[in-house]
Amino acid sequence: MSYAYLFKYIIIGDTGVGKSCLLLQFTDKRFQPVHDLTIGVEFGARMITIDNKPIKLQIWDTAGQESFRSITRSYYRGAAGALLVYDITRRETFNHLASWLEDARQHANANMTIMLIGNKCDLAHRRAVSTEEGEQFAKEHGLIFMEASAKTAQNVEEAFIKTAATIYKKIQDGVFDVSNESYGIKVGYGGIPGPSGGRDGSTSQGGGCCG
Amino acid sequence: MSMEATELQDLSDDADYAASQQQGSASMMRSDSGKRSLQSEHEDAVLIYLKDNVAIHPTQFASERISGRLKLTKQDSVLFLSWIPYKGQTSNAKLSEKDRSLYTITAVPFTEVRSIRRHTPALGWQYVIVVLSSGLAFPPLYFYNGGVREFLAMVKQHVFLARSSEDQNVFIVNDFQSPLQRTLSSLELPSSLPVASGQSVYPLDGGSSSENQRRTSSDVGNRVSSVSQSGFRKQKSHDPTRDLSIHLLEKFSLVTKFARDTTTQLFSENNGFGSIDKRWNNQPVHSYPEKLSNIAEEKHHEIRHSYSENDLLKDDEISYIDVPADPLEFDKLSLMWGKPRQPPMGHKERRNDISPSIKCRISTEYFTALLDSEGRVVESKALRERVFYGGIEHQLRREVWPFLLGYYAYDSTYAEREYLRSVKRMEYATLKQQWQSISPEQAKRFTKYRERKGLIDKDVVRTDRAFEYYEGDDNLHVNSMRDILLTYSFYNFDLGYCQGMSDYLSPILFVMEDESESFWCFVALMERLGPNFNRDQNGMHTQLFALSKLVELLDSPLHNYFKENDCLNYFFCFRWILIQFKREFEYEKTMQLWEVMWTHYLSEHFHLYVCVAVLKRCRSKIMGEQMDFDTLLKFINELSGHIDLDSTVRDAEALCIEAGENGAASIPPGTPPSLPLDDGTLYPQEDDVL
């Protein structure tokens, strides 16, 4: 299927916060509580539409355990968006956000859009991190923020799409040189305004990048 | 840059070097240098640090340690690190020059170094691990006379070195926070670096292997250092790549002879493989396509012949060429030797008209025939060979796995094993008691325990839950898995628990069906594979490094492709190696593959040859579609469930035989699943291990 852009996303965060479940909810619209734990990285993909343009999201779902950090770092390369996930019922997963963020800042491109997700918001009775704290952290670090639930699907769609919309806006604003794939954006066939509707960024792209 | 070439000569006639061997001299630091050889011939390369008696420990044997000299040099404002082993320093004949040059680090620019990890244990030698930005890591460098701190201080004077916020023993090189600075620093890189990342240990010249071939014909016997027009270092006296090419020429003449003579008996000795091994150690290179394909034809016939004689199999049961047709596949013939698999051990003896319980007994009887009257395995090699070529009937696994894993000794008697089981059962109970006796009050004050337990609790319910044995709520087997993992994390508190362990434990528990027995089998497996889960991932890096060396040896076009596309870290094979293909095959097939690998029949590192076999099969697709790192990773991930086990194992066998001693020499000693190097502590870890 043709797309105007392909965005690479990476999902990061401590083990057991629900990264794979968020992905599955987004790509397959189902919740599978007994998903096998992720070793290395798993992939998912879905097509969405932004500004009437088909956009393909290629999503990298990573293993969360500390020991695998050195491998996970190699996955940041060329990601346009990141979902940084914590579990609102486990305080420590929130406390580790700073270290995840530092990894992302160090190994991803500086313009990567980061969405902070407080997952498992259906478990409000076991909440250990308040919404305000999440908001505050996001604000301090320039992240977009949402609480979501992979189980009830609340805000899952929104989180992925809002991230894409932000990236799309950055393209429109000329923040990215879309011909440079290290930004995690590929230009696809069709859907691109401009004289040749070019591929691979060899021709001018909508939004007038780089000037 | 012929600096490295000079270094070699430097070593042989350097008076300092000789002196340092005698007395183990302390480090010398110079900001400038009167170092004759460097200074006189290379005005721009400045020696800034030199440390003698820095060693690597390829194996646990003290006699096989390799001492050498660590140097920092600076040229055109780039800092280079090199480590050159001393010549003729040890009397151990096992350590050939090839072994030495395998480990030689020739002038790695710090622009390619990602981090340096230091280990300064209270007891034992200090060492550092240098990790390249490609993700590859060099073996630990032991500072026999101390001085890690001074070394790092010296590095810090010349490159930007930042202490990792996560681990105070890790120093990140050139780690600029600001993108602007990062850009600036990349602009300062010299346009051509002397060695590509990951290549330095096993120096390659600038040319392709076919080029190497051609050149070799005129270079034979003229083993002197030379500098090519491009300025790249070409040959040096102990360049293994060069040795390979010379071997290749020799091989070609043998091959021609080999193809002319019909030598069926060559195949009949030692299953036909030992002799091929000697003649076909090396990969034919694509500069000789027609010749090779003819040879391939002839060889093909011979092999068919020998198979039909030796294995009593019908011709049409054997598929010789499994790889897809591809112009690049001139090495097809290398994939023809994998012997067809036999039915699993215990299978032939079965009859279909008897009840399952009797089948089981008969399988056991087959195994019993391999034992003497007191229960010793008469010939462990025969057992391992039988398993290697066909696996084990499921009912029999419970008997055989403990031997393969090393929990039972092959020469133990029935009585001794019975005794072992009872002793180990008590020991397991005691170990388990350690965490079971932790009261809630104590747990409150025991964060590490709580974290581990939390992690294990979460993971056991995410392990093979689709598999019948582990499905459903409150599954007793899942509880056993949790208890075993938690007990193991106390038994081996330093290593603790790491994700992936449950993937190993699941089939073991399914096969052994007994908690204590499963625990001890798991312990035995972790003796070899524990390093896969080390926090610094050193065991994984070593294996990925060895894999890159094997691909270089067995499939140079693919190696060159990975090199050009910045894929040499082999992270795309991470999952394969971490849990030995557990996620790539269905459950039963995984158990088959594991028991084949655990025989260590052809190689302890058979799993790496399996990796090469799969990569080789996909090579035309990978290269044809010009996959980049991301695409490759995704592609490899998606191979899961689509790999044919039997043909892959046969290919791996063929590759392993083909690689022969060169293959073994490509794998640094101590690489898991070899038993770990004995440096006193089994899992030297500093802090924060979950």
Side-chain angles (χ1 to χ4, degrees), chain A residues 8 15 37 41 65 102, chain B residues 165-166 462 499 583 630 637:
Chain A
K8 172 178 167 181
T15 179
L37 66 96
V41 63
Q65 198 180 357
E102 193 180 308
Chain B
S165 56
E166 275 167 37
R462 298 194 287 170
Q499 288 183 337
R583 301 285 180 103
D630 282 14
N637 246 43

Side-chain angles (χ1 to χ4, degrees), chain B residues 412-452:
Chain B
S412 59
T413 61
Y414 291 123
E416 284 164 351
R417 292 198 288 274
E418 187 57 47
Y419 179 70
L420 179 77
R421 279 193 293 270
S422 68
V423 169
K424 289 292 181 182
R425 194 171 305 283
M426 285 189 288
E427 196 180 338
Y428 175 69
T430 309
L431 287 165
K432 191 172 170 181
Q433 201 51 40
Q434 289 179 5
W435 59 266
Q436 282 186 325
S437 64
I438 293 173
S439 69
E441 280 307 302
Q442 187 189 355
K444 268 189 204 164
R445 297 166 174 81
F446 196 172
T447 309
K448 227 165 218 182
Y449 165 70
R450 283 199 320 274
E451 284 174 352
R452 274 185 195 180

Side-chain angles (χ1 to χ4, degrees), chain B residues 24 39 73 115 235 259 294 324 387 395 499 506 545 572 598 616 619 649 653-654:
Chain B
Q39 201 60 20
T73 50
S115 65
Q235 307 288 353
N294 291 338
V387 173
Q395 299 91 321
Q499 288 183 337
S506 154
F545 173 75
F572 47 88
W598 294 346
K616 228 171 153 56
R619 182 236 261 159
V649 168
E653 179 196 352

Side-chain angles (χ1 to χ4, degrees), chain A residues 6-9 77-81 109 180-186:
Chain A
L6 182 148
F7 296 163
K8 172 178 167 181
Y9 277 20
R77 185 165 58 175
N109 84 69
N180 181 345
E181 288 189 359
S182 72
Y183 287 115
I185 297 162
K186 279 185 190 173

Side-chain angles (χ1 to χ4, degrees), chain B residues 29 34 74 82 147 171-173 216 232 261 298 317 322 373 400 429 446 456 481 491 507 536 575 591 644 654 668 674:
Chain B
M29 296 186 195
K74 199 161 191 180
S82 57
F171 295 84
I172 317 262
V173 178
T216 303
F232 276 79
D261 310 338
E298 288 180 54
E317 281 179 354
D322 302 308
S373 59
V400 183
F446 196 172
I456 292 169
M481 186 141 64
Y491 173 78
D536 63 6
R575 189 173 73 187
M591 293 191 287
D644 179 68
S674 296

Side-chain angles (χ1 to χ4, degrees), chain B residues 233-451:
Chain B
R233 174 172 48 87
K234 284 292 180 193
Q235 307 288 353
K236 53 175 206 164
S237 22
H238 305 292
D239 182 340
T241 317
R242 179 188 156 84
D243 287 345
L244 272 185
S245 348
I246 293 168
H247 283 167
L248 268 173
L249 275 191
E250 290 165 0
K251 298 285 163 347
F252 277 119
S253 60
L254 277 172
V255 164
T256 322
K257 188 172 181 302
F258 182 62
R260 252 197 330 267
D261 310 338
T262 307
T263 48
T264 319
Q265 94 276 5
L266 273 182
F267 289 96
S268 57
E269 54 176 279
N270 192 19
N271 290 323
F273 296 132
S275 39
I276 299 175
D277 188 0
K278 302 217 168 46
R279 283 156 184 79
W280 286 78
N281 267 342
N282 290 292
Q283 192 66 6
V285 175
H286 49 285
S287 46
Y288 295 89
E290 302 96 329
K291 195 174 172 187
L292 268 182
S293 54
N294 291 338
I295 296 165
E297 275 300 312
E298 288 180 54
K299 236 174 112 53
H300 189 145
H301 289 305
E302 285 186 10
I303 288 168
R304 289 169 75 88
H305 183 207
S306 73
Y307 267 133
S308 55
E309 272 194 0
N310 295 336
D311 297 314
L312 304 170
L313 277 163
K314 279 180 248 141
D315 271 6
D316 57 2
E317 281 179 354
I318 306 165
S319 127
Y320 291 96
I321 300 176
D322 302 308
V323 287
D326 183 319
L328 284 165
E329 300 272 1
F330 295 124
D331 45 16
K332 260 179 200 158
L333 75 168
S334 70
L335 293 182
M336 293 192 283
W337 304 329
K339 230 174 149 182
R341 301 294 110 176
Q342 299 169 18
M345 185 164 112
H347 177 84
K348 274 183 189 165
E349 304 70 41
R350 276 172 38 172
R351 285 166 47 205
N352 291 326
D353 55 352
I354 46 181
S355 72
S357 61
I358 298 192
K359 277 185 203 170
C360 177
R361 189 168 59 81
I362 292 180
S363 296
T364 310
E365 276 168 7
Y366 176 84
F367 173 62
T368 312
L370 295 174
L371 310 177
D372 71 11
S373 59
E374 293 185 300
R376 296 181 191 89
V377 176
V378 183
E379 230 189 312
S380 72
K381 196 175 176 207
L383 171 65
R384 292 188 295 121
E385 182 182 9
R386 183 65 184 85
V387 173
F388 182 82
Y389 285 110
I392 308 168
E393 272 291 280
H394 185 70
Q395 299 91 321
L396 198 50
R397 287 194 168 119
R398 215 181 146 188
E399 308 284 332
V400 183
W401 278 21
F403 287 101
L404 298 179
L405 289 169
Y407 169 43
Y408 295 163
Y410 285 107
D411 61 357
S412 59
T413 61
Y414 291 123
E416 284 164 351
R417 292 198 288 274
E418 187 57 47
Y419 179 70
L420 179 77
R421 279 193 293 270
S422 68
V423 169
K424 289 292 181 182
R425 194 171 305 283
M426 285 189 288
E427 196 180 338
Y428 175 69
T430 309
L431 287 165
K432 191 172 170 181
Q433 201 51 40
Q434 289 179 5
W435 59 266
Q436 282 186 325
S437 64
I438 293 173
S439 69
E441 280 307 302
Q442 187 189 355
K444 268 189 204 164
R445 297 166 174 81
F446 196 172
T447 309
K448 227 165 218 182
Y449 165 70
R450 283 199 320 274
E451 284 174 352

Side-chain angles (χ1 to χ4, degrees), chain B residues 554-609:
Chain B
L554 291 163
D555 195 335
S556 56
L558 188 61
H559 171 80
N560 291 335
Y561 179 82
F562 287 153
K563 188 174 159 191
E564 283 156 20
N565 290 276
D566 205 10
C567 295
L568 272 188
N569 62 25
Y570 280 79
F571 283 173
F572 47 88
C573 296
F574 180 80
R575 189 173 73 187
W576 291 0
I577 290 176
L578 185 82
I579 49 174
Q580 299 208 322
F581 294 91
K582 168 77 163 26
R583 301 285 180 103
E584 319 310 318
F585 295 101
E586 57 185 70
Y587 212 78
E588 166 61 29
K589 297 274 181 195
T590 302
M591 293 191 287
Q592 278 177 36
L593 176 61
W594 283 5
E595 60 209 12
V596 165
M597 295 191 302
W598 294 346
T599 61
H600 299 158
Y601 177 64
L602 286 178
S603 163
E604 278 186 329
H605 301 98
F606 192 71
H607 69 301
L608 297 178
Y609 293 96

